Amino acid sequence: MGRAPLTVGSSRDITRELGYDIDLDRAVELIRKSNLLRVGLQAPEGLKRATVAIARQIAKETGSEVIISGDPCYGACDVDLKLCEEVDLMLHLGHAELNEGPEKVLFLEARMRDDPRLAVEKATLLLTAERVGVTTTIQHLHKLAQVMEVLREHRIEGVLGPAGGRVKYAGQVLGCCYSSAKAIEVSEYLFIGTGQFHPLGIALATGKRVVVADPVTCNVSEIDPDPLLRRRFGTIVRASKANRFAVLISKKHGQKRVDLARRIKNLGEANGKEMFLIYLDNIEPDRLINLGIEAAVSTACPRVALDDAAKYKIPILTPPEFEVLVGERPWEKYAFDEME
Amino acid sequence: MGRAPLTVGSSRDITRELGYDIDLDRAVELIRKSNLLRVGLQAPEGLKRATVAIARQIAKETGSEVIISGDPCYGACDVDLKLCEEVDLMLHLGHAELNEGPEKVLFLEARMRDDPRLAVEKATLLLTAERVGVTTTIQHLHKLAQVMEVLREHRIEGVLGPAGGRVKYAGQVLGCCYSSAKAIEVSEYLFIGTGQFHPLGIALATGKRVVVADPVTCNVSEIDPDPLLRRRFGTIVRASKANRFAVLISKKHGQKRVDLARRIKNLGEANGKEMFLIYLDNIEPDRLINLGIEAAVSTACPRVALDDAAKYKIPILTPPEFEVLVGERPWEKYAFDEME
């Protein structure tokens, strides 16, 4: 059979309207070759509406039973381990493998089709350095050669930071890990992608200037971390008035930091705060309402505190922000919460 | 120390405002005696705001580390197994043990203080039989002697159905199990408790008349299952127009019915429907929206389909209702979805 028929005939159809390429043929081949009877299928929210069609296709092509994970999925840190127990192979769509990933999981990255060249052309007008760190998220990683080419045409040297730790590819950044960016000596970064969270993370983790080129909208911009920092300072001040803190620990295998939670609990208690360890899967406002706590420190994904703050009535801090609150860390040394 | 000091001094204080008695001393004694270092604490939503105070008390009395489960909890079917992995003992508040419960869990039932006698007095005016099945939920079970006494004063013989299966106590009913009621030969039931779900379950599971005596409000009423049946018939008709069904499988250890889900999937496919197995923890409207399905059959807790129907945009059926839809079961043999 080879790859072409399925890609052209079906998986391409399924994901075309979403604007992604996903190599389902790899999954079909593996299932057929190993005669797997049961297959799990997990996707982040942006790909969830493709799961039913993908499940149909895999069942049709392989004869295996497909079980879809219905819970939210926030990254490769969030493989559905309970579903893994029920199946022979787990297909996890959209994310690159973290190095410590669980067994039985085939990570099928989702590659966006958008051509970044026009956005990068525009971004060169904002770049000031001759040597620039080039960063992106997994959806655009296969377009980095094109990005580098445009930079070269403009006599800018693009530098990719190394893979390592949670980061699978050179130049890749994760919401929780900017090690590839931090590893290179540059005065300026170009980020290829959508949204503000990752480039803000690069700016805060490196302290350097970050220019964003969005291949979907073709918009370019320079990141200004000051509004976020001002909001976070306000949140720390608000939390400093609280006495009763939750220390949130995530159940997700790649977001679970129990030792850090214990350290934060001890730090709070040593500073006269009441600290309660709370273990939970999806951190959502409903979950915290009935607990009667006044503030929280999240040791889960940094997006909980930084990106979802507006959803919560109580202030939620990252661990480094709580260190600022109790005076263990000067505000001038504010650190973005990263995971090793 | 004995039990008295803690009960009077602290646990009573903690749960008094909630109107419940919980025997925390049993937990404290066990933790002390076995020198347990880490304790998990899980409670249903109605008791969640007591967990922080209970955690504080247990930590103070025993020196152990307490981790609170922050996820929703819907019954003894829903023990936080991931938290169990982190602790030496799990305290599960509010529910009676199911017989197949996991290890390491101490079930601390919550007993409501409300005196049922006045409500039962009023209920005797609605009861017509001389022999009545007496049923209740775990919160009021310790008051059954008082209930029986009032009935005796009115020359009514109260009969308790046997424990067995998921049911721990004679006379107890669960939202998903009415075996104790079904096991006795009576023409009429008295239900002691709050809410409509359990007495509706008794009425549908037995086909008999059910009188409710609510010890909290002192209201009494006769259960009329017809409005629910009419709504469910409408839901089945609405679902019959759908082609693409999700078969929902719960991850909760006491709600997980994978074999039933497979049977329902096969039954649907044999009747020309597209059926997709969906595995998830908390079944909530958000979870189903992105999947693009048109209807669902829930093999989880029967409350999902029957009690939460208004929350969902798509029709959600119980397994017996889906059997009606495909013509495997006549409407006249409508069955309440019970778990073994």
Side-chain angles (χ1 to χ4, degrees):
Chain A
M1 292 282 289
R3 291 197 180 178
L6 180 62
T7 306
V8 173
S10 53
S11 74
R12 190 171 286 266
D13 293 346
I14 292 163
T15 53
R16 181 177 292 150
E17 62 165 318
L18 296 172
Y20 289 97
D21 282 314
I22 298 174
D23 188 4
L24 286 187
D25 296 335
R26 249 182 89 199
V28 167
E29 278 169 27
L30 180 59
I31 296 163
R32 278 185 184 155
K33 204 175 64 185
S34 309
N35 269 319
L36 304 178
L37 295 179
R38 283 175 191 158
V39 175
L41 181 60
Q42 185 183 23
E45 297 315 285
L47 292 171
K48 218 144 206 144
R49 63 197 178 97
T51 53
V52 156
I54 292 172
R56 181 196 293 130
Q57 191 66 31
I58 289 172
K60 191 176 137 198
E61 298 268 333
T62 67
S64 66
E65 176 184 285
V66 182
I67 305 180
I68 297 170
S69 173
D71 288 324
C73 172
Y74 295 104
C77 53
D78 188 14
V79 172
D80 188 335
L81 298 182
K82 282 208 177 173
L83 181 48
C84 283
E85 292 170 15
E86 302 289 327
V87 297
D88 303 311
L89 175 71
M90 180 78 168
L91 303 177
H92 182 102
L93 305 187
H95 304 120
E97 184 171 9
L98 299 181
N99 283 335
E100 91 283 18
E103 289 177 16
K104 278 210 283 198
V105 185
L106 180 63
F107 290 84
L108 293 172
E109 296 158 12
R111 292 158 196 274
M112 286 188 89
R113 299 218 180 90
D114 306 81
D115 187 328
R117 281 177 291 197
L118 183 56
V120 176
E121 286 280 355
K122 286 169 73 179
T124 58
L125 301 172
L126 294 183
L127 292 170
T128 58
E130 289 175 354
R131 204 165 163 274
V132 166
V134 177
T135 57
T136 189
T137 51
I138 187 68
Q139 306 97 299
H140 307 285
L141 215 118
H142 58 296
K143 302 284 191 186
L144 282 186
Q146 293 180 0
V147 173
M148 300 303 243
E149 194 184 301
V150 175
L151 292 178
R152 214 174 300 126
E153 286 163 15
H154 288 266
R155 294 184 190 159
I156 297 170
E157 184 193 352
V159 185
L160 300 180
R166 311 195 126 205
V167 171
K168 188 171 178 192
Y169 299 103
Q172 185 193 0
V173 291
L174 296 167
C176 57
C177 188
Y178 300 91
S179 59
S180 70
K182 290 194 291 189
I184 50 179
E185 288 278 338
V186 292
S187 61
E188 206 169 64
Y189 290 89
L190 173 64
F191 172 76
I192 313 296
T194 56
Q196 293 281 300
F197 192 75
H198 294 90
L200 271 169
I202 299 166
L204 291 169
T206 65
K208 303 284 165 63
R209 189 167 177 260
V210 180
V211 170
V212 178
D214 183 331
V216 180
T217 63
C218 262
N219 287 335
V220 298
S221 58
E222 184 186 337
I223 281 295
D224 177 8
D226 274 359
L228 176 71
L229 286 174
R230 251 180 257 129
R231 281 201 306 278
R232 299 315 299 167
F233 190 79
T235 304
I236 295 170
V237 170
R238 204 149 61 90
S240 69
K241 292 160 191 157
N243 286 312
R244 193 181 298 165
F245 281 75
V247 184
L248 308 177
I249 308 170
S250 173
K251 291 181 182 174
K252 300 182 189 303
H253 62 92
Q255 295 187 21
K256 183 174 151 184
R257 294 188 285 180
V258 183
D259 290 342
L260 174 61
R262 291 203 170 104
R263 188 168 73 71
I264 292 294
K265 178 173 184 277
N266 292 338
L267 189 60
E269 285 171 353
N271 284 275
K273 303 290 187 188
E274 258 211 308
M275 309 295 287
F276 295 95
L277 298 175
I278 313 287
Y279 199 43
L280 73 185
D281 187 9
N282 295 303
I283 301 175
E284 294 170 3
D286 282 1
R287 306 292 186 259
L288 305 183
I289 287 170
N290 285 337
L291 290 170
I293 44 162
E294 297 162 346
V297 184
S298 169
T299 64
C301 173
R303 295 190 89 131
V304 171
L306 300 178
D307 223 15
D308 298 343
K311 295 195 327 194
Y312 296 90
K313 287 191 178 161
I314 58 168
I316 302 189
L317 303 181
T318 65
E321 289 171 344
F322 188 73
E323 292 170 353
V324 172
L325 184 148
V326 296
E328 279 281 308
R329 175 191 289 274
W331 169 249
E332 295 67 34
K333 292 205 169 173
Y334 182 92
F336 193 85
D337 180 31
E338 290 188 76
M339 296 199 184
E340 300 301 302
Chain B
M1 293 282 290
R3 290 197 183 179
L6 181 62
T7 307
V8 174
S10 53
S11 74
R12 190 171 286 267
D13 293 345
I14 293 163
T15 53
R16 180 177 290 150
E17 62 167 317
L18 296 172
Y20 289 97
D21 282 314
I22 298 174
D23 187 4
L24 286 187
D25 296 334
R26 249 181 89 200
V28 167
E29 279 168 27
L30 181 59
I31 296 163
R32 278 187 185 154
K33 204 174 63 186
S34 309
N35 268 319
L36 304 177
L37 295 180
R38 284 174 190 160
V39 175
L41 181 60
Q42 186 184 23
E45 297 315 287
L47 292 172
K48 221 148 206 140
R49 62 197 177 97
T51 53
V52 156
I54 292 171
R56 181 196 293 129
Q57 192 64 32
I58 288 172
K60 191 177 136 198
E61 297 268 331
T62 67
S64 66
E65 175 184 285
V66 182
I67 304 179
I68 297 170
S69 173
D71 287 324
C73 172
Y74 295 105
C77 54
D78 188 13
V79 172
D80 188 336
L81 298 182
K82 282 208 178 174
L83 181 48
C84 284
E85 292 170 17
E86 302 289 328
V87 296
D88 303 311
L89 175 72
M90 180 78 170
L91 303 177
H92 182 102
L93 304 187
H95 305 120
E97 184 170 11
L98 299 179
N99 283 335
E100 91 283 19
E103 290 176 16
K104 278 211 283 199
V105 185
L106 180 64
F107 290 86
L108 293 173
E109 297 158 11
R111 292 158 196 276
M112 286 188 88
R113 299 220 178 92
D114 306 81
D115 187 328
R117 281 177 290 199
L118 182 57
V120 176
E121 286 280 355
K122 286 169 72 179
T124 58
L125 300 172
L126 293 183
L127 291 169
T128 58
E130 289 175 353
R131 203 164 164 275
V132 166
V134 177
T135 57
T136 189
T137 51
I138 188 67
Q139 305 97 298
H140 307 285
L141 216 120
H142 59 296
K143 303 284 191 186
L144 281 186
Q146 294 180 358
V147 173
M148 299 303 243
E149 194 184 301
V150 175
L151 291 178
R152 215 174 299 124
E153 285 164 15
H154 289 265
R155 293 185 192 160
I156 298 170
E157 183 192 352
V159 185
L160 300 180
R166 311 196 126 205
V167 171
K168 189 170 178 191
Y169 298 103
Q172 184 194 2
V173 291
L174 296 168
C176 58
C177 187
Y178 301 90
S179 59
S180 70
K182 290 195 292 189
I184 50 179
E185 288 278 337
V186 292
S187 60
E188 207 169 63
Y189 291 89
L190 173 64
F191 172 76
I192 313 296
T194 56
Q196 293 281 299
F197 192 76
H198 294 91
L200 271 169
I202 299 167
L204 290 168
T206 65
K208 304 284 165 61
R209 189 166 178 262
V210 180
V211 170
V212 177
D214 183 331
V216 179
T217 63
C218 262
N219 287 336
V220 298
S221 59
E222 183 185 336
I223 281 294
D224 177 9
D226 273 359
L228 176 71
L229 285 173
R230 252 180 255 129
R231 280 200 306 277
R232 299 314 299 167
F233 190 79
T235 305
I236 295 171
V237 170
R238 205 150 61 89
S240 69
K241 291 160 191 157
N243 287 312
R244 193 181 298 165
F245 282 75
V247 184
L248 308 178
I249 307 170
S250 173
K251 291 181 181 174
K252 300 182 189 304
H253 63 92
Q255 295 187 21
K256 183 174 151 185
R257 294 188 285 181
V258 182
D259 290 342
L260 173 62
R262 291 204 170 102
R263 188 169 73 71
I264 291 294
K265 178 174 185 275
N266 293 338
L267 189 60
E269 285 171 352
N271 284 275
K273 303 290 187 189
E274 259 212 305
M275 310 295 287
F276 295 95
L277 298 175
I278 313 286
Y279 198 43
L280 71 187
D281 186 10
N282 295 303
I283 301 175
E284 294 170 3
D286 282 1
R287 306 291 185 259
L288 305 182
I289 287 169
N290 285 337
L291 290 169
I293 45 161
E294 297 163 346
V297 185
S298 169
T299 64
C301 172
R303 296 190 90 131
V304 170
L306 300 178
D307 222 17
D308 298 343
K311 295 195 327 193
Y312 295 91
K313 286 191 179 161
I314 58 168
I316 303 189
L317 304 181
T318 65
E321 290 171 343
F322 188 73
E323 291 170 353
V324 172
L325 184 147
V326 296
E328 279 280 310
R329 174 191 289 273
W331 169 249
E332 296 68 34
K333 292 204 169 172
Y334 181 94
F336 192 86
D337 179 31
E338 290 187 76
M339 296 200 184
E340 300 301 300

